[in-house]
C-alpha cells in the first residue's frame, strides 16, 4: 500500500495555483514598489510661523469648530523628523488632536549645518524652546501652553520645565522619555568612557553623522533590518502592509545629525554622569532639577520599547514634584506607542481624555 493511500490530495492543485498566483503578485508588486515613491507624509495643513537656525515652528490649521483654550506645543526628538506624528490622513496623531479640538504647534528640527556644530544644550533648552513658547503665546493669544515631548524631546521638555518651573507650561506629556541613562544599556556600552573619546570625535568631525546614530539603533536589534525586508517580500502583495512599511521605514532611516557640542553634553552629562537622574544636571549654569516641576504630567511608556527600555524611563513620575501625575504603560514599542494602529486604539484616546480636562 502506498504512503498516500487514504489521504485526500485533491487540495494540492488548488494550493499550488494559489502559491503561483501569489508569486506573480509579488513580482508585479515588487516592480511597483521599486518604481513608486511611497505615500506623502506630514501633509496635514500647517503654516511655518517661525524659523531659527535648525528649528522650525509649525502651526497646524484647526479642524474643529470649538477649540480648547490652552494650545499644545509638541517638541520633537532632535534626531527625528516630526512627520512620525503626522502620517497619512486617518493615521496622523496631529490630525487626531486637531479633530478633537486642540490648537496644535510643533517644534521640528532640520539638520544642523557644519557651522552649527557649536550649538549647545543651553541653545536648545534656554533658547529654542522658550523662543517657540513666546511665539505660540503671541500667535494663540494665550499665556498657558501644554507641552508634549517625544523621546529626547521629552528630555528637553523636562529640562525646560525644571528651569522655568514658574513659567507658562500648564501641562507636560512625555512619550517614552529616558531619565535614568543606566537603563539605556547598549547605548551606555557604546559610549563607555573607557573606550569612547567623545572629545576627539566632536573635535575632529563636528556634528555627529546620522550614519553613526543609525548604526547604534541597528545594534539594538541586529537582525531586524534583514527580518523586515523578508517580511516585506512575503507581504508585498498586500498594499496596506507595504504602505505601512514604507511610512515607518522612511522615518526610521531618515535620522538627523546631532550638533557636536550638544552631543558632547549628552554623552558626558547624561550618558556618563547620569546627572538628570542624580539631580545634578545644569544647563547654562542653571540648575535643572526636575523635582521643581509641579504641573500636571502624563508619561506614556511602551511595554516592548527597545530604544528607551522601561528601566530608563520608570523613575520619571516618582522624581517630578507634581501632585497630579500619572504613568501609563501601553502595549507596543518605541514607535508603535505613538503611531500606527496600536496608538490609534490606545494612546491617542487616553491622551485626549487626560489632556481635555486640563486644557480649559
Amino acid at each position: 500500500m502506498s504512503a498516500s493511500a487514504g489521504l485526500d490530495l485533491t487540495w494540492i492543485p488548488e494550493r499550488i495555483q494559489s502559491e503561483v498566483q501569489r508569486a506573480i503578485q509579488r513580482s508585479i508588486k515588487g516592480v511597483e514598489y521599486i518604481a513608486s515613491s511611497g505615500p506623502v507624509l506630514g501633509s496635514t495643513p500647517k503654516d511655518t510661523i517661525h524659523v531659527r537656525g535648525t528649528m522650525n515652528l509649525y502651526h497646524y490649521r484647526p479642524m474643529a469648530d470649538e477649540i480648547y483654550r490652552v494650545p499644545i506645543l509638541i517638541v520633537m526628538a532632535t534626531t527625528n523628523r516630526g512627520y512620525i506624528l503626522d502620517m497619512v490622513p486617518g493615521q496622523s496623531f496631529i490630525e487626531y488632536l486637531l479633530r478633537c479640538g486642540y490648537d496644535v504647534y510643533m517644534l521640528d528640527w532640520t539638520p544642523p549645518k557644519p557651522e552649527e556644530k557649536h550649538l549647545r544644550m543651553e541653545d536648545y533648552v534656554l533658547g529654542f524652546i522658550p523662543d517657540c513658547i513666546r511665539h505660540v503665546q503671541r500667535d494663540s493669544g494665550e499665556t498657558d501652553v501644554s507641552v508634549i515631548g517625544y523621546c529626547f524631546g521629552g528630555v528637553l521638555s523636562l529640562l525646560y520645565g525644571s528651569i522655568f518651573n514658574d513659567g507658562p507650561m500648564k501641562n507636560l506629556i512625555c512619550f517614552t522619555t529616558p531619565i535614568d541613562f543606566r537603563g539605556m544599556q547598549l547605548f551606555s556600552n557604546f559610549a563607555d568612557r573607557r573606550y569612547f573619546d567623545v572629545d576627539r570625535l566632536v573635535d575632529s568631525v563636528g556634528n555627529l553623522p546620522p550614519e553613526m546614530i543609525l548604526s547604534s539603533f541597528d545594534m539594538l536589534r541586529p537582525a531586524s533590518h534583514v527580518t523586515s525586508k523578508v517580511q516585506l517580500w512575503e507581504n508585498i502583495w498586500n498594499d496596506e502592509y507595504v504602505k505601512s512599511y514604507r511610512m515607518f521605514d522612511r522615518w526610521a532611516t531618515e535620522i538627523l545629525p546631532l550638533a557636536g557640542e550638544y552631543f558632547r553634553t549628552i554623552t558626558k552629562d547624561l550618558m556618563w554622569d547620569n546627572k538628570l537622574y542624580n539631580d545634578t544636571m545644569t544647563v547654562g549654569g542653571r540648575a535643572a532639577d526636575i523635582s521643581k516641576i509641579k504641573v500636571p504630567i502624563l508619561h506614556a511608556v511602551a511595554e516592548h520599547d527597545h530604544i528607551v527600555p522601561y528601566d530608563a524611563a520608570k523613575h520619571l513620575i516618582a522624581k517630578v514634584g507634581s501632585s497630579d501625575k500619572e504613568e501609563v504603560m501601553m502595549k507596543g514599542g518605541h514607535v508603535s506607542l505613538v503611531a500606527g494602529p496600536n496608538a490609534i486604539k490606545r494612546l491617542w484616546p487616553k491622551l485626549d481624555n487626560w489632556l481635555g480636562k486640563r486644557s480649559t
Side-chain angles (χ1 to χ4, degrees), residues 19-139:
E19 289 299 322
V20 168
Q21 288 298 325
R22 183 157 294 184
I24 293 171
Q25 279 292 100
R26 285 196 184 105
S27 299
I28 294 172
K29 293 293 184 179
V31 173
E32 290 179 2
Y33 179 85
I34 294 170
S36 63
S37 58
V40 177
L41 307 179
S43 61
T44 299
K46 63 183 181 291
D47 300 297
T48 302
I49 64 171
H50 184 46
V51 177
R52 177 182 169 187
T54 188
M55 175 201 82
N56 291 322
L57 177 62
Y58 307 134
H59 182 214
Y60 292 87
R61 297 170 191 170
M63 291 186 176
D65 294 332
E66 295 186 12
I67 307 296
Y68 284 106
R69 181 184 68 83
V70 181
I72 296 170
L73 173 64
I74 298 173
V75 180
M76 280 304 302
T78 42
T79 53
N80 297 121
R81 299 283 189 176
Y83 60 71
I84 188 64
L85 301 181
D86 187 23
M87 293 295 196
V88 295
Q91 298 185 47
S92 166
F93 176 61
I94 299 294
E95 179 190 56
Y96 177 84
L97 291 175
L98 293 170
R99 294 195 183 282
C100 288
Y102 295 98
D103 193 11
V104 183
Y105 297 78
M106 178 186 284
L107 195 174
D108 196 17
W109 308 102
T110 56
K113 301 173 183 176
E115 59 268 26
E116 293 175 307
K117 65 183 180 182
H118 298 297
L119 285 172
R120 304 155 299 168
M121 181 68 78
E122 46 261 51
D123 292 308
Y124 289 84
V125 175
L126 306 181
F128 291 139
I129 295 180
D131 194 15
C132 283
I133 292 283
R134 287 190 292 270
H135 277 81
V136 170
Q137 290 174 313
R138 188 179 308 151
D139 189 69

Side-chain angles (χ1 to χ4, degrees), residues 80-272:
N80 297 121
R81 299 283 189 176
Y83 60 71
I84 188 64
L85 301 181
D86 187 23
M87 293 295 196
V88 295
Q91 298 185 47
S92 166
F93 176 61
I94 299 294
E95 179 190 56
Y96 177 84
L97 291 175
L98 293 170
R99 294 195 183 282
C100 288
Y102 295 98
D103 193 11
V104 183
Y105 297 78
M106 178 186 284
L107 195 174
D108 196 17
W109 308 102
T110 56
K113 301 173 183 176
E115 59 268 26
E116 293 175 307
K117 65 183 180 182
H118 298 297
L119 285 172
R120 304 155 299 168
M121 181 68 78
E122 46 261 51
D123 292 308
Y124 289 84
V125 175
L126 306 181
F128 291 139
I129 295 180
D131 194 15
C132 283
I133 292 283
R134 287 190 292 270
H135 277 81
V136 170
Q137 290 174 313
R138 188 179 308 151
D139 189 69
S140 67
E142 295 292 337
T143 300
D144 296 331
V145 179
S146 293
V147 176
I148 298 177
Y150 177 46
C151 188
F152 209 88
V155 174
L156 296 177
S157 301
L158 286 169
L159 295 173
Y160 166 81
S162 66
I163 294 171
F164 298 94
N165 52 72
D166 58 350
M169 188 168 70
K170 181 174 174 58
N171 303 292
L172 175 60
I173 299 97
C174 292
F175 296 154
T176 64
T177 297
I179 183 173
D180 183 357
F181 283 80
R182 295 172 302 176
M184 309 277 284
Q185 192 59 56
L186 187 62
F187 288 111
S188 296
N189 293 341
F190 175 77
D192 191 315
R193 71 175 80 202
R194 294 173 297 175
Y195 316 111
F196 183 54
D197 191 340
V198 66
D199 290 325
R200 183 178 179 184
L201 174 66
V202 172
D203 293 343
S204 59
V205 305
N207 296 330
L208 187 72
E211 295 81 10
M212 188 173 177
I213 303 170
L214 188 58
S215 295
S216 66
F217 287 148
D218 285 343
M219 285 191 293
L220 293 170
R221 287 184 174 176
S224 63
H225 188 68
V226 174
T227 302
S228 67
K229 293 295 185 184
V230 172
Q231 291 174 335
L232 171 63
W233 177 246
E234 290 178 346
N235 293 277
I236 203 162
W237 53 272
N238 184 328
D239 290 341
E240 284 303 311
Y241 184 94
V242 172
K243 177 182 175 182
S244 178
Y245 175 89
R246 299 191 81 151
M247 289 191 298
F248 288 102
D249 183 65
R250 176 185 164 189
W251 180 82
T253 55
E254 196 170 8
I255 301 294
L256 302 178
L258 292 177
E261 290 302 323
Y262 172 67
F263 176 69
R264 197 193 310 260
T265 299
I266 291 172
T267 302
K268 292 186 174 183
D269 288 0
L270 298 179
M271 299 300 298
W272 288 359

